[in-house]
Amino acid sequence: MAINIATLPSKEIMPGYHGKMIHTATMSLVYWDVEEGAEVPEHSHKNEQIMQVLEGRFEFWVAGEKAIYEAGDLVVIKAHQKHGGKTLTPCKLMDVFSPTREEYH
């Protein structure tokens, strides 16, 4: 199956977070366009997650440790590990979740 990201619809999952989502039986891939200053409150979920900054600057914390990430940086988040963040500039992010993120369907 071939997919072109440009043709996928975008959903605003939380204020300022606009995602284009691809789901399989065991994982989800999300390309985010995130507005400057948008926040994702601290939370956790059953999914393992890899977050990559594609463009911009993103302040992100995992398990109480805060850092600023830029294009090319990746963060690996274990299942049930608390994390959250805030964009410092407009950002493009990519998230991979396993298992699939049911609430994003």
Side-chain angles (χ1 to χ4, degrees), residues 8-13 16-21 30-33:
L8 293 175
S10 180
K11 292 182 188 177
E12 188 171 24
I13 296 298
Y17 280 78
H18 308 274
K20 294 186 174 200
M21 300 164 201
V30 184
Y31 287 95
W32 299 104
D33 280 311

Side-chain angles (χ1 to χ4, degrees), residues 83-95:
H83 58 283
K86 177 181 177 180
T87 57
L88 303 176
T89 65
C91 287
K92 291 190 184 298
L93 308 173
M94 181 182 66
D95 279 328

Side-chain angles (χ1 to χ4, degrees), residues 48-51 60 62 69 74-79 81:
E48 291 182 306
Q49 177 180 353
I50 299 173
M51 185 272 299
F60 197 69
V62 178
Y69 298 94
L74 290 112
V75 181
V76 177
I77 304 151
K78 297 175 186 174
Q81 193 170 45

Side-chain angles (χ1 to χ4, degrees), residues 39-88:
E39 295 186 34
V40 57
E42 186 175 64
H43 66 287
S44 65
H45 40 70
K46 68 178 183 178
N47 316 79
E48 291 182 306
Q49 177 180 353
I50 299 173
M51 185 272 299
Q52 181 179 12
V53 178
L54 303 173
E55 293 179 17
R57 297 182 76 225
F58 190 56
E59 182 179 74
F60 197 69
W61 53 91
V62 178
E65 292 189 31
K66 186 183 337 183
I68 296 174
Y69 298 94
E70 298 180 338
D73 291 335
L74 290 112
V75 181
V76 177
I77 304 151
K78 297 175 186 174
H80 305 288
Q81 193 170 45
K82 290 187 177 185
H83 58 283
K86 177 181 177 180
T87 57
L88 303 176

